[in-house]
Amino acid sequence: MDRETRLKRLRFRSWHRGTKEADLLIGGFFDAHSAGWTDAEIDLVEEMLEEQDVDIMAWATSMQPVPDRYQGSILAALKTLNYVPIQR
């Protein structure tokens, strides 16, 4: 599958998680960072999106330790939380 198709599928999966909170966190993260991802980072995000939303959200907020396989630039960027759109 080509890169563009993979990213389109990941975008959909990122924005359709099942709860509004997870959609905003994971979808907002995807929109803010996906353009600069390498193929290896895309692979990692695809794997991470197989995890439960509660776990991903807990890693992003440092409520649970991040598994070793996800340690690195993707989770560091996810933890910044500056990409979550907040209506004011």
Side-chain angles (χ1 to χ4, degrees), residues 15-84:
W15 277 105
H16 296 87
R17 300 300 300 178
T19 65
K20 186 65 171 178
E21 294 84 359
D23 291 350
L24 290 171
L25 177 85
I26 300 167
F29 171 71
F30 178 89
D31 286 351
H33 296 282
S34 63
W37 289 342
T38 65
D39 288 341
E41 289 172 323
I42 291 171
D43 291 342
L44 185 64
V45 172
E46 284 176 332
E47 182 182 338
M48 185 180 71
L49 290 184
E50 295 296 323
E51 302 288 347
Q52 296 293 315
D53 293 345
V54 293
D55 293 330
I56 296 170
M57 293 174 73
W59 302 332
T61 59
S62 299
M63 297 297 289
Q64 287 183 11
V66 177
D68 290 340
R69 69 183 174 278
Y70 298 125
Q71 292 286 353
S73 62
I74 294 294
L75 254 296
L78 183 67
K79 287 182 168 192
T80 65
L81 298 177
N82 63 355
Y83 51 82
V84 178

